[in-house]
Amino acid sequence: MTTRLDVVEERSAPHRPGSNPAREPRGVMGWVVRGLLELPAVGFLAWGTLALHFAGPGRGGLADLLAVAWAVVGLAILLLVRPFGRRLTTFAAAVAVLLVWWSTIRPSNDRTWLADVARPPHGELSGDRLTIHDLRNFDYRSETDFTERWETRTYDLSRLDRLDFFLSYWGSPKIAHTIVSWAFQDGQHLAVSIETRKEVGESYDALAGFFRQYELYYVVADERDLIRLRTNYRGEHVYLYPLRTPRDRVRRMLLDYVKSMNELAKEPQFYNAGTDNCTTNIRMHAQQIGATAPWDYRILLNGYVDEMLYERGVIDTSRPFPEVRAGSLIDAPAQAADQDPAFSRRIREGITVPRRFDETDAGAVRR
């Protein structure tokens, strides 16, 4: 028989260690708080496992062992440590140790690089004369068989005409590689592709690109190198869109690119597949010169970025977008032009060129 005294004693009995309800979130709000705090913890658990797998010491056996150890220890903390506050504190300490290690991974310009990214380009400006050193102009016989040619070229910025945009597809229509090229009134074209700088024996892995595995590299090249490599030897599908960017911004964007090239030649930085890639960097440069570049999901799913540019009126809008896109494919003319010194002119034959925003009668187009 239970007496009133028994009930009072039972209610006042101390709780066992680790089961103090004052330290464990309770009720609906408690579960909300727990979820808000533990979801990032699960994210850190996954991120740390992948970071150690791709960038851990020893690469391979030891790195994978550390990745498994991190996953096991992290899960044990999240599932077994009580109470809730101690669990978070313990896990936060483990994350802090991981981040200290992560901060020790540094980019470098001193590695055994693949031949096509061996030299970091840099530029010098004197008045309107821009001189680019280590511009790539390789003569390809196949994607991997080529004659190296690193050149120094000088451009007259007073003769800048416009900015062109290339999209190159190698697989999924959702993802493409973006390239920009500056056109000059004297017929010169200066193309820049923001890529990964790979070492000898290294190949690109999209997932590894999130984990400090590649340095950032600006390929500054002749279009007969940069575009022909993709259309004629890699079998990619390349589209060319002349932009309506005003001439003043065309110039300032080029100089901002040169500034970044020069900085990378002195202080390398890592490529990041999500935040520091071929397309996000174009947006960054546009913002640097004061251009409006609102965020859009197609900056990440950049296979659709031409559709975004069409909607914003930055490319030719004189026809429906499917017609504009179809008329922008340059695979056939690039393959036909091949090693012709007039490669840049030939791939533009038939391309509709919209008037820049700073030209009169902006609604018209010229070919």
Side-chain angles (χ1 to χ4, degrees):
M1 178 176 176
T2 303
T3 66
R4 181 178 178 81
L5 179 61
D6 293 332
V7 173
V8 172
E9 288 177 349
E10 182 177 342
R11 289 178 178 175
S12 62
H15 291 275
R16 292 187 302 275
S19 64
N20 188 347
R23 297 186 180 183
E24 292 285 346
R26 304 183 67 182
V28 175
M29 284 304 299
W31 283 106
V32 170
V33 171
R34 175 179 289 187
L36 291 175
L37 292 174
E38 289 190 343
L39 278 176
V42 172
F44 268 114
L45 184 64
W47 176 83
T49 301
L50 291 170
L52 285 164
H53 167 70
F54 286 112
R59 300 272 182 102
L62 179 57
D64 288 344
L65 183 62
L66 290 171
V68 171
W70 164 261
V72 171
V73 171
L75 279 173
I77 292 172
L78 294 177
L79 296 176
L80 302 177
V81 174
R82 296 290 186 274
F84 183 69
R86 183 180 300 166
R87 183 190 320 155
L88 289 183
T89 302
T90 305
F91 190 79
V95 169
V97 172
L98 186 72
L99 292 177
V100 168
W101 159 75
W102 183 251
S103 70
T104 65
I105 303 174
R106 301 290 186 181
S108 174
N109 276 331
D110 299 318
R111 306 189 195 277
T112 306
W113 304 110
L114 288 173
D116 60 344
V117 292
R119 300 188 187 184
H122 62 284
E124 297 174 336
L125 181 66
S126 177
D128 283 332
R129 291 176 61 82
L130 174 65
T131 301
I132 300 293
H133 302 276
D134 290 318
L135 177 142
R136 200 179 77 188
N137 186 24
F138 285 14
D139 182 19
Y140 294 91
R141 290 171 291 276
S142 73
E143 183 178 357
T144 56
D145 180 21
F146 46 76
T147 300
E148 294 183 36
R149 286 202 300 250
W150 298 96
E151 301 177 355
T152 296
R153 293 189 183 181
T154 299
Y155 301 87
D156 183 354
L157 298 187
S158 69
R159 305 197 69 185
L160 257 176
D161 185 24
R162 63 186 318 112
L163 184 62
D164 292 330
F165 182 77
F166 292 87
L167 271 177
S168 184
Y169 296 81
W170 66 91
S172 168
K174 298 177 182 178
I175 302 295
H177 182 69
T178 51
I179 298 169
V180 290
S181 184
W182 283 264
F184 292 79
Q185 294 169 349
D186 59 5
Q188 290 193 93
H189 295 268
L190 177 62
V192 182
S193 171
I194 300 174
E195 304 182 7
T196 58
R197 195 178 189 188
K198 294 183 284 293
E199 301 172 55
V200 171
E202 192 173 45
S203 58
Y204 181 69
D205 181 299
L207 189 55
F210 289 93
F211 296 98
R212 295 187 173 178
Q213 292 304 285
Y214 311 104
E215 276 77 8
L216 189 67
Y217 185 74
Y218 281 52
V219 180
V220 183
D222 189 293
E223 287 183 347
R224 194 171 49 171
D225 172 325
L226 194 56
I227 305 304
R228 183 168 66 104
L229 171 63
R230 295 176 178 275
T231 55
N232 295 29
Y233 298 108
R234 292 183 180 173
E236 299 180 12
H237 301 296
V238 179
Y239 294 79
L240 166 59
Y241 297 97
L243 302 181
R244 299 183 63 197
T245 309
R247 186 173 289 163
D248 174 64
R249 285 186 176 175
V250 171
R251 177 188 175 115
R252 287 190 288 126
M253 192 158 178
L254 174 54
L255 294 180
D256 199 61
Y257 263 71
V258 172
K259 178 175 177 287
S260 291
M261 294 173 209
N262 292 345
E263 290 172 349
L264 286 174
K266 295 178 180 178
E267 296 290 338
Q269 68 182 70
F270 282 115
Y271 171 94
N272 184 284
T275 61
D276 211 357
N277 58 43
C278 61
T279 307
T280 58
N281 271 286
I282 293 175
R283 178 173 182 259
M284 177 272 292
H285 284 294
Q287 291 177 316
Q288 288 285 94
I289 64 169
T292 302
W295 177 254
D296 190 288
Y297 75 94
R298 289 167 290 191
I299 292 171
L300 291 181
L301 295 180
N302 61 0
Y304 305 124
V305 76
D306 51 352
E307 180 182 53
M308 181 192 79
L309 295 176
Y310 181 87
E311 291 172 2
R312 294 179 179 179
V314 179
I315 61 176
D316 173 32
T317 57
S318 63
R319 298 163 291 163
F321 175 70
E323 292 182 26
V324 172
R325 193 171 202 274
S328 299
L329 183 65
I330 61 167
D331 294 1
Q335 290 161 5
D338 196 29
Q339 295 182 333
D340 190 338
F343 179 89
S344 291
R345 177 182 58 78
R346 291 181 62 179
I347 64 173
R348 287 170 170 79
E349 291 176 353
I351 296 288
T352 299
V353 181
R355 293 188 180 277
R356 297 188 315 271
F357 287 121
D358 58 339
E359 290 182 299
T360 57
D361 191 17
V365 297
R366 53 188 171 87
R367 293 181 185 272

